[in-house]
Amino acid sequence: MTDNHSHHDEHAHSHAHGMNKIEEAFKKYDLSANDESVREAVKRIIAEKVHENDTPEVKKFLMGSIELTTLKTTDSPESVMAFTERVNEFDNTYPDLPHVATICVYPCFADVVSQTLEVDGVEVACVSGSFPSSQAVIEVKVAETALAVKDGATEIDIVMSVGKFLSGDYETVADEINELKQVCGDKKMKVILETGCLKTASNIKKASILAMYAGADYIKTSTGKLDPAATPEAAYVMCQAIKEYYDETGIQIGFKPAGGINSVMDALIYYTIVKEVLGEKWLTNQWFRLGTSRLANMLLSEITGEETNFF
């Protein structure tokens, strides 16, 4: 991933020049995303393209892209350990199916998950930086992120400072993301835009560009703690931004819809949007992730043909 590192160094330098650099970055992209045309494009993709992806192969692929998530106030070391054991057992029970991509938990459980997990290739993701509100001073966000990494997190999910973004303080938002990426080092960092709070396609496009420019390895729709969470429209705009950023810089950024993925059809819609906007290069469980817990059992039920509550 050498190109990624040069891209982060580039960011570090650009921040010396602050705001004008961000404005310059914005100028390279079309930020005038139109809500109505986004709705039309999504409607067309759903009507014309989703059905061809409704196959057992795609469902198996989606299984392998899941970030199995537990972010409850009631989580405990015992419950998180049991949750992780299900992923260990899955391999024995369903040897022909891909394991999930990731287990996603609060940072205080990074240790439990990394000690309990026995399956090679499953990442340990932690939500960090005062998730889900991101309302904390940067020193607290930095400390939480550093501790999560020290305790075994292999990926970090942070929330962009949405309030600062909406008040137009793009420089501080970018600086925070950049500082947290430096704490993550070579660990992948996902930036949650909380698209439900951004409201317009234009804001979502701008936030996507800002997050990628500031050091995101993935951009993610939502925390799942606020309504609306992920929507196909937000996904479409984010994927367009990822494509434009890739065309401009040659840097590939991953995409993660999360929150409100309530059915297999929802997952197929996101898969289809990624396929249509970004293409095959993004259709691996490295670049496309689904943040959900309930989807795993639904996919399993459809793949096996019987009602299954494994997770």
Side-chain angles (χ1 to χ4, degrees):
M1 295 303 294
T2 46
D3 56 352
N4 247 13
H5 287 297
S6 56
H7 125 89
H8 296 311
D9 296 342
E10 212 176 276
H11 297 313
H13 296 169
S14 65
H15 284 296
H17 308 288
M19 195 61 194
N20 48 359
K21 275 292 186 201
I22 295 166
E23 294 297 348
E24 267 170 46
F26 282 158
K27 282 196 193 95
K28 294 177 183 167
Y29 302 93
D30 178 12
L31 300 175
S32 62
N34 175 285
D35 292 288
E36 192 45 51
S37 56
V38 168
R39 268 194 298 274
E40 288 306 312
V42 168
K43 211 180 277 178
R44 195 165 57 247
I45 287 173
I46 291 174
E48 295 170 12
K49 302 287 185 183
V50 172
H51 60 92
E52 70 196 39
N53 297 318
D54 191 353
T55 66
E57 291 70 43
V58 171
K59 287 172 191 170
K60 284 178 188 169
F61 166 79
L62 290 170
M63 192 78 211
S65 290
I66 287 180
E67 299 212 0
L68 202 64
T69 304
T70 183
L71 297 168
K72 298 198 287 283
T73 303
T74 52
D75 287 341
S76 66
E78 293 74 18
S79 71
V80 171
M81 188 182 282
F83 189 70
T84 308
E85 288 288 10
R86 301 308 285 161
V87 174
N88 293 342
E89 283 163 34
F90 184 82
D91 250 17
N92 304 325
T93 315
Y94 299 100
D96 302 337
L97 294 181
H99 58 65
V100 295
T102 315
I103 296 179
C104 183
V105 294
Y106 279 111
C108 51
F109 299 116
D111 202 25
V112 174
V113 176
S114 57
Q115 304 272 350
T116 309
L117 186 62
E118 291 160 10
V119 185
D120 285 345
V122 176
E123 303 288 347
V124 180
C126 286
V127 294
S128 181
S130 244
F131 177 96
S133 67
S134 200
Q135 298 289 18
V137 294
I138 187 66
E139 291 83 352
V140 170
K141 296 181 186 184
V142 164
E144 186 177 25
T145 303
L147 289 166
V149 170
K150 180 177 83 61
D151 280 348
T154 61
E155 298 186 347
I156 293 289
D157 293 25
I158 64 162
V159 183
M160 175 184 81
S161 288
V162 179
K164 292 187 183 106
F165 177 88
L166 291 172
S167 60
D169 186 2
Y170 304 127
E171 189 184 352
T172 304
V173 176
D175 280 341
E176 283 192 7
I177 292 170
N178 185 250
E179 192 167 342
L180 291 169
K181 176 56 200 173
Q182 288 177 29
V183 176
C184 293
D186 61 355
K187 307 283 186 275
K188 293 280 196 289
M189 186 178 79
K190 306 182 201 106
V191 177
I192 302 166
L193 307 182
E194 201 66 285
T195 50
C197 296
L198 299 179
K199 306 276 196 281
T200 67
S202 179
N203 266 345
I204 293 169
K205 185 81 173 274
K206 197 173 221 177
S208 299
I209 298 295
L210 178 75
M212 292 186 286
Y213 169 79
D217 295 298
Y218 289 76
I219 51 176
K220 173 175 165 182
T221 56
S222 325
T223 59
K225 300 293 184 191
L226 294 177
D227 281 332
T231 64
E233 289 74 19
Y236 182 84
V237 175
M238 289 168 71
C239 288
Q240 274 194 316
I242 290 170
K243 182 176 174 19
E244 287 178 33
Y245 189 78
Y246 180 71
D247 291 344
E248 178 71 36
T249 64
I251 296 161
Q252 188 171 5
I253 302 289
F255 173 62
K256 179 180 172 184
I261 302 175
N262 294 324
S263 66
V264 172
M265 184 47 72
D266 287 346
L268 288 171
I269 288 170
Y270 290 119
Y271 173 91
T272 306
I273 288 168
V274 170
K275 185 176 172 184
E276 295 301 317
V277 179
L278 290 168
E280 296 290 335
K281 192 172 177 174
W282 268 264
L283 294 177
T284 76
N285 77 348
Q286 186 185 350
W287 299 107
F288 175 57
R289 299 281 182 72
L290 291 155
T292 175
S293 33
R294 60 180 76 117
L295 183 67
N297 286 326
M298 293 176 182
L299 276 171
L300 211 45
S301 300
E302 292 211 4
I303 292 166
T304 59
E306 52 186 316
E307 186 63 34
T308 309
N309 273 321
F310 184 85
F311 291 105

